[in-house]
Amino acid sequence: MEFTKSLIKGKLIKRYKRFFVDVKINKEVVTAHCPNTGSMKGLIDQGNEVYLLKNDNPKRKLKYGLELIKANNNLVGVNTHMANKIVEHGLNANLINELKNNDSIQSEVFYNKETRFDFLIEKKKQKSFIEVKNVTLFREKKTAEFPDAITTRGSKHLLTLIDAIKKGYKSYLIFLVQIQNMENFKIAKDIDEEYYKNYLIAKKAGVNFLAYRCSLSSKEIRIEKKLKIINE
């Protein structure tokens, strides 16, 4: 996915009220929208290099949106709204090895009254639901992790993917790692033990788990490489 225009580099001052970040651009301080409601653990240290996208919509109060943060020398994509767009591009461009050459791709499909999955694909009359999780946490040099906080919604999605298998669908969960230089992925069971337990149950039930790393730059983000999932 290409950015609509070139990103603007700045230095992070602080994040507050979840949705706001103050950033220094040259000698000016601007307030930008933070499109990530998660903890952003390990990313929001003062002085970190950040990249903003300027918008020209007169109806929007904030003229900038936060897209990338550089932490421990790795660019990280923090806009959670981009994750599905990146995966949709990957599906259409056959960048995900396990999910190539689909006959149809639908986004934001309701499974039941309570749950909507990110994609429903069909290939040779086999329908598969896909859920996408955006990954921005890394505490070790080459290993990305999810989640970065307790996620009851994430556990619910795992259990619903199991239910979909019982009804004849295939189920996939893609951990989209928007972090440079990662080689492995694992569930952060010390952060959310319940999610880890449900991950093991879902894996045993036949849910397919995939982790893919993105290449990131100030011009575009796109799926680059499959990562090894190293949970025991």
Side-chain angles (χ1 to χ4, degrees):
M1 288 297 304
E2 293 184 3
F3 291 110
T4 52
K5 57 181 73 174
S6 296
L7 300 185
I8 299 165
K9 185 165 73 170
K11 292 286 185 183
L12 180 66
I13 296 174
K14 64 178 179 178
R15 179 207 193 191
Y16 54 101
K17 296 180 181 177
R18 290 203 302 171
F19 296 104
F20 302 99
V21 287
D22 285 345
V23 176
K24 189 173 184 179
I25 303 173
N26 298 321
K27 294 182 180 180
E28 179 188 8
V29 175
V30 303
T31 299
H33 173 63
C34 178
N36 188 319
T37 59
S39 75
M40 295 172 68
K41 186 179 179 73
L43 302 179
I44 48 176
D45 294 340
Q46 182 176 352
N48 276 358
E49 189 174 288
V50 298
Y51 291 83
L52 307 179
L53 181 65
K54 189 174 183 180
N55 73 78
D56 299 315
N57 186 343
K59 294 181 180 179
R60 292 185 64 174
K61 292 181 180 180
L62 298 176
K63 298 300 180 187
Y64 296 92
L66 178 65
E67 296 289 340
L68 303 174
I69 296 177
K70 194 169 190 178
N72 295 318
N73 296 315
N74 293 323
L75 282 176
V76 181
V78 296
N79 187 344
T80 54
H81 305 297
M82 284 285 283
N84 281 14
K85 294 177 182 178
I86 295 165
V87 170
E88 187 168 19
H89 173 267
L91 290 169
N92 283 308
N94 291 323
L95 299 178
I96 302 169
N97 293 331
E98 296 82 0
L99 300 169
K100 286 183 175 180
N101 304 315
N102 300 294
D103 298 320
S104 68
I105 301 168
Q106 299 177 62
S107 59
E108 300 291 332
V109 178
F110 278 97
Y111 172 68
N112 55 32
K113 291 180 180 179
E114 291 82 31
T115 304
R116 182 171 58 183
F117 287 123
D118 293 320
F119 297 99
L120 174 64
I121 62 172
E122 186 170 353
K123 181 179 178 181
K124 296 178 181 177
K125 297 185 179 180
Q126 173 65 60
K127 293 182 178 181
S128 303
F129 278 111
I130 302 171
E131 181 64 15
V132 177
K133 297 300 180 189
N134 193 52
V135 179
T136 61
L137 174 65
F138 65 109
R139 295 179 289 180
E140 301 170 24
K141 192 172 182 181
K142 297 287 184 181
T143 302
E145 298 181 73
F146 181 90
D148 64 359
I150 291 174
T151 171
T152 52
R153 184 169 175 265
S155 282
K156 175 192 162 191
H157 280 146
L158 291 176
L159 298 176
T160 311
L161 285 170
I162 295 170
D163 189 62
I165 292 173
K166 295 175 183 176
K167 293 180 179 175
Y169 297 93
K170 281 190 173 182
S171 291
Y172 289 85
L173 195 149
I174 298 175
F175 294 106
L176 187 73
V177 179
Q178 287 200 63
I179 313 167
Q180 286 179 323
N181 300 316
M182 298 295 105
E183 295 295 338
N184 304 303
F185 170 84
K186 69 179 180 181
I187 306 296
K189 60 182 178 181
D190 63 310
I191 292 176
D192 190 344
E193 189 175 355
E194 189 67 22
Y195 186 83
Y196 177 69
K197 288 178 182 176
N198 286 318
Y199 158 78
L200 294 178
I201 293 168
K203 187 177 179 183
K204 189 174 181 179
V207 176
N208 298 283
F209 290 94
L210 305 172
Y212 272 84
R213 185 184 81 196
C214 295
S215 63
L216 301 99
S217 73
S218 58
K219 294 182 179 179
E220 69 170 358
I221 303 175
R222 59 185 287 136
I223 288 175
E224 178 183 35
K225 178 183 178 180
K226 184 180 179 180
L227 301 186
K228 183 180 180 182
I229 299 177
I230 59 173
N231 285 98
E232 61 274 10

